[in-house]
Amino acid sequence: MTKDSKPELAARRAFLVKLAGAASCAGAAVGAATLGLTPAVSAKTAPAADGGSFPTKDYDWTKHQWGFGVDATKCIGCLRCVEACKRENDVPANAHQFRTWVERYVHLEGEDQVRIDSQQDPVNIAASGSEKTFRFANRYKDAKVYKAFFVPKLCNHCTHPACVQVCPVGATYKSEDGVVLIDHDYCIGCRYCVQACPYGARYFDEERGVSDKCTWCYHRITKGLQPACVEVCPVGARIFGDQKDKESPISLFIRNNRVQVLRPESGNAPNVFYVGIDKEVN
Amino acid sequence: MHFAPYTGWVYPNETVFEWSVLIAVYPYITGLVAGAFTVSSLYQVFGFERLRPVAHLALLTSLSFMVFVPTPLLLHLGHPERAFNATITPHLTSAMAMFGFFASFYVALLIVEGWFANRPFIVEQAQTRTDLLGRFYRLLTLGSYDVSPHTMHFDKKWIFALAVIGIPAAHGLHGYVGFMYGSLKSREWWSSDLMPVIFLFSAIISGVALLVVLYVASCKLRRIPVDAACVKGLAYTIWAFIMVAIVLEALAFANLVYKGREGIDTILQYVTGPLLVPYFLLQFAIGMVLPLLWLSYMIWRGTTGKALIVGVTVCACLVLFSVFMMRWNVVIGGQEISKTGKGLLSYHMPFWGKEGALMAILLTTAPLGLLYVLTRLFPPWADDAAHAHG
């Protein structure tokens, strides 16, 4: 994601181009100066036409309202989503920083407290053999499991995102299509957003000096593709689509299920909708 | 990259501590600024005559520390070269965005007030010195050599006005730092309406305590007797504010426990475990209650002379330590309690590196170096007849 992806900036450039044109009419001296400016500005917008660009050409973010569903009753904890996300989005190759992760909740017979673990657990890291691939250790094979389930987690792309509220420079923002994005060219790396997110969905990329988090694979969805995690899920536990399309997978998911969101009391109004999670999940 | 060890259940991304010791140093330094300015104002605005020996020193101290306030933040940023983005294009909903404006305004205020307060000295030096420093002072006069009683009266009005504006500015700046933590709903340990006021009162006691130490040390270095009345005045100030500080912190903690919202079990496990020593013992018992009792005893017994000076100075050192522990327990403590409310993490502070212990010590003590230079250029000593002003 770059600053250049913002439509406002495109409008600003268009304005500059117009300004340059007007100025060139005004006189030879001014015109000569602006001639230097015009190609430079045009050059920056030019790649939008060649397909490999971002944002996608002709994508209109006012025509979509993206939403995400998680059916925890289907998740088998294979973690293909986590690995796909890491590769697709260049997420640091370690077991401590994620755009998406999966939590395991296990109630053992005779215990009051639920046991929760995820990819950063040393036992799971040992089971994976490296911090580049992920798997859940079979740690409860000899125990009597009373109840167990997996919960995929990711950025909730909240309607009232606390991260956007606290960003001192506006580098993280809510797009028209409902996705919370980060302008990595503008982020100052203060990490206030990381602190403000109640869901632990953000991390700080040391190498790039900026905050990062899930974008629902914005570079894919604006091309009509599914987010990488949704694409690779073998059981359809992750559902994604346009809420403006009443027949889209996400609209049907919300219509046909009693869905809930995480930490509704926070007032953030998340846009990841869950089915099949238990009272301990937050 | 260091991954924090944890117990219980924490979100994977939480295992990297994002706010280091430098973010504890930042409110500590800001607090010292606000506290030192309070002392200056008590003399300039409220006419506390016995604080005259430290009034100008307080102003210079405030300025010296204020200059260093942004340094821990700049060292912490992933892109310090973009720091001005927050000032050029502030995102107005962010509690952090206004920092640049508040801080700049306050630095400007301190410089202007300092200029007025030191003008007679600057003019005198500009007229008598012929060396390079003379040029420096001549430049600082800004072309105004008039030190007639009429002009001095005019200057005093300005000093008074700036000191009056400075009170809300200094305290607003620090209350605002507290708001940056208190307004976050993601962490139960931070999310308190009392946080800005707690920060403010602890800031005041830390600044007054710093002045006790600086004043006594400067007297020793200059081999002049310590003004016991002045030290007693500062002791009264600490005494009054420390009481409020203790009550506020206790109320905030009682509120947290009494409300007993989600995650309170983990918080209690934390405060009675890893936080027992830094919070209850170091910050409260040794850093606040002990000085309060000791100061109360000295006031009650009418202690004076060397016993008073030693007693108040030791109490001031304890208060300085306590307030740092308060910043630590808020900033680091807040992150050691997981957002899940079901787990605890432990912060590892490296010694070296740009966010290590050594850097934290350097940044906290660097303002003293600047203060030394400023006291050489603009002697703030009220006892020195040649330099007495204000």
Side-chain angles (χ1 to χ4, degrees):
Chain A
M1 184 62 34
T2 68
K3 184 184 174 187
D4 301 350
S5 65
K6 286 180 163 184
E8 301 99 274
L9 208 61
R12 220 178 296 165
R13 281 200 202 97
F15 169 71
L16 277 176
V17 173
K18 277 184 192 166
L19 187 73
S24 60
C25 296
V30 181
T34 50
L35 277 174
L37 175 70
T38 313
V41 172
S42 303
K44 266 195 121 181
T45 51
D50 60 33
S53 64
F54 182 78
T56 309
K57 196 188 171 203
D58 300 332
Y59 175 73
D60 183 351
W61 70 2
T62 61
K63 293 205 165 75
H64 305 275
Q65 193 62 44
W66 303 112
F68 202 105
V70 173
D71 188 344
T73 60
K74 288 185 179 168
C75 181
I76 55 173
C78 68
L79 304 180
R80 286 182 65 183
C81 51
V82 176
E83 290 180 1
C85 172
K86 284 253 183 188
R87 281 182 211 173
E88 178 69 27
N89 296 298
D90 221 5
V91 180
N94 62 55
H96 299 266
Q97 294 174 304
F98 295 94
R99 284 184 172 207
T100 185
W101 66 98
V102 179
E103 299 169 359
R104 173 167 63 179
Y105 291 74
V106 177
H107 290 266
L108 295 183
E109 274 186 18
E111 282 188 2
D112 293 334
Q113 292 289 320
V114 62
R115 292 169 181 242
I116 314 169
D117 65 347
S118 188
Q119 283 70 74
Q120 87 279 21
D121 190 299
V123 178
N124 291 333
I125 293 173
S128 305
S130 85
E131 295 202 18
K132 290 177 182 171
T133 55
F134 304 98
R135 62 172 294 191
F136 277 108
N138 195 6
R139 65 204 302 177
Y140 301 115
K141 62 181 175 188
D142 298 325
K144 287 201 167 175
V145 175
Y146 176 70
K147 178 161 85 168
F149 56 94
F150 295 102
V151 181
K153 289 278 189 82
L154 64 161
C155 170
N156 285 284
H157 296 273
C158 307
T159 304
H160 308 296
C163 54
V164 170
Q165 181 187 35
V166 302
C167 177
V169 295
T172 189
Y173 57 99
K174 178 98 178 153
S175 62
E176 289 286 314
D177 48 14
V179 185
V180 175
L181 298 169
I182 304 171
D183 183 344
H184 286 150
D185 291 341
Y186 213 69
C187 172
I188 60 173
C190 69
R191 292 162 249 190
Y192 202 15
C193 58
V194 180
Q195 301 291 0
C197 174
Y199 306 101
R202 286 177 170 246
Y203 66 91
F204 183 71
D205 188 332
E206 286 281 347
E207 209 167 292
R208 291 193 289 172
V210 292
S211 293
D212 196 33
K213 66 161 197 78
C214 161
T215 62
W216 282 343
C217 284
Y218 201 66
H219 57 293
R220 291 173 59 87
I221 61 172
T222 50
K223 291 186 177 78
L225 300 169
Q226 293 279 296
C229 59
V230 177
E231 181 104 5
V232 300
C233 180
V235 293
R238 291 174 180 251
I239 298 101
F240 182 79
D242 188 352
Q243 293 185 75
K244 282 193 174 171
D245 172 3
K246 294 304 166 201
E247 295 305 315
S248 71
I250 188 64
S251 295
L252 294 174
F253 180 74
I254 293 170
R255 192 198 306 164
N256 296 334
N257 293 286
R258 303 290 172 266
V259 296
Q260 63 186 101
V261 294
L262 302 175
R263 297 186 188 276
E265 77 285 355
S266 70
N268 281 20
N271 285 300
V272 175
F273 304 95
Y274 283 85
V275 162
I277 57 174
D278 217 344
K279 61 188 189 307
E280 296 90 0
V281 181
N282 58 21
Chain B
M1 190 181 287
H2 179 79
F3 303 121
Y6 66 92
T7 55
W9 161 240
V10 308
Y11 294 128
N13 287 333
E14 281 188 290
T15 54
V16 181
F17 264 72
E18 294 304 353
W19 280 358
S20 67
V21 61
L22 291 195
I23 305 301
V25 166
Y26 154 68
Y28 186 57
I29 301 181
T30 322
L32 293 172
V33 172
F37 193 84
T38 307
V39 175
S40 158
S41 301
L42 284 175
Y43 170 75
Q44 303 281 13
V45 180
F46 301 106
F48 280 46
E49 271 302 317
R50 57 165 75 183
L51 298 184
R52 185 163 181 265
V54 290
H56 278 220
L57 179 64
L59 206 54
L60 288 187
T61 306
S62 206
L63 180 60
S64 304
F65 278 82
M66 191 62 215
V67 168
F68 281 88
V69 160
T71 52
L73 296 179
L74 287 174
L75 276 170
H76 174 74
L77 290 185
H79 281 281
E81 79 282 4
R82 297 179 188 166
F84 274 109
N85 287 3
T87 313
I88 302 163
T89 55
H91 186 226
L92 297 177
T93 63
S94 170
M96 206 184 265
M98 286 297 109
F99 172 76
F101 294 102
F102 288 166
S104 314
F105 172 76
Y106 188 58
V107 168
L109 185 139
L110 282 172
I111 290 174
V112 176
E113 188 180 340
W115 182 76
F116 274 116
N118 286 285
R119 222 172 62 78
F121 177 76
I122 293 170
V123 169
E124 182 215 311
Q125 294 293 307
Q127 287 169 334
T128 53
R129 278 184 178 265
T130 52
D131 53 3
L132 198 66
L133 264 181
R135 280 191 177 193
F136 169 70
Y137 286 114
R138 277 192 287 284
L139 193 71
L140 277 189
T141 60
L142 302 179
S144 167
Y145 289 82
D146 185 357
V147 285
S148 63
H150 174 71
T151 324
M152 286 294 93
H153 181 68
F154 177 79
D155 282 9
K156 275 204 166 168
K157 274 174 136 178
W158 266 94
I159 293 172
F160 182 81
L162 288 167
V164 169
I165 300 167
I167 297 169
H171 297 164
L173 181 73
H174 199 72
Y176 160 76
V177 172
F179 177 77
M180 275 171 45
Y181 298 95
S183 61
L184 287 189
K185 54 192 169 189
S186 56
R187 295 192 186 279
E188 188 70 358
W189 188 244
W190 288 348
S191 181
S192 164
D193 300 345
L194 285 175
M195 198 61 101
V197 227
I198 290 173
F199 263 70
L200 197 50
F201 277 88
S202 57
I204 294 171
I205 57 173
S206 71
V208 183
L210 175 67
L211 276 176
V212 170
V213 177
L214 288 177
Y215 174 62
V216 172
S218 69
C219 289
K220 293 291 165 203
L221 287 172
R222 296 172 63 231
R223 296 171 202 282
I224 59 157
V226 178
D227 182 346
C230 173
V231 172
K232 199 158 196 173
L234 291 170
Y236 280 135
T237 315
I238 295 179
W239 188 85
F241 286 110
I242 206 171
M243 265 209 323
V244 186
I246 292 174
V247 169
L248 282 172
E249 276 232 42
L251 279 174
F253 184 68
N255 251 308
L256 185 76
V257 176
Y258 201 84
K259 282 179 187 162
R261 286 191 284 234
E262 191 184 357
I264 189 64
D265 294 337
T266 308
I267 290 177
L268 287 178
Q269 186 195 331
Y270 180 61
V271 292
T272 53
L275 210 59
L276 192 66
V277 170
Y279 191 57
F280 288 112
L281 187 68
L282 300 180
Q283 184 190 328
F284 269 110
I286 294 178
M288 288 177 109
V289 177
L290 179 63
L292 178 69
L293 293 177
W294 195 344
L295 290 173
S296 305
Y297 177 79
M298 286 191 288
I299 292 166
W300 171 50
R301 301 294 295 177
T303 309
T304 186
K306 201 174 175 185
L308 174 81
I309 293 160
V310 172
V312 174
T313 310
V314 174
C315 285
C317 291
L318 291 176
V319 167
L320 280 171
F321 174 67
S322 163
V323 175
F324 179 77
M325 286 313 298
M326 182 265 175
R327 308 304 191 232
W328 174 277
N329 290 333
V330 169
V331 176
I332 303 299
Q335 295 174 92
E336 287 191 326
I337 304 168
S338 170
K339 290 173 181 174
T340 62
K342 296 182 177 75
L344 296 173
L345 297 117
S346 21
Y347 171 65
H348 162 78
M349 177 169 59
F351 182 76
W352 304 104
K354 76 179 176 113
E355 297 202 45
L358 182 65
M359 185 56 80
I361 294 166
L362 284 176
L363 289 183
T364 316
T365 49
L368 296 175
L370 177 62
L371 180 63
Y372 176 77
V373 174
L374 288 180
T375 55
R376 305 296 290 184
L377 290 172
F378 310 104
W381 322 118
D383 55 88
D384 190 341
H387 301 144
H389 37 261

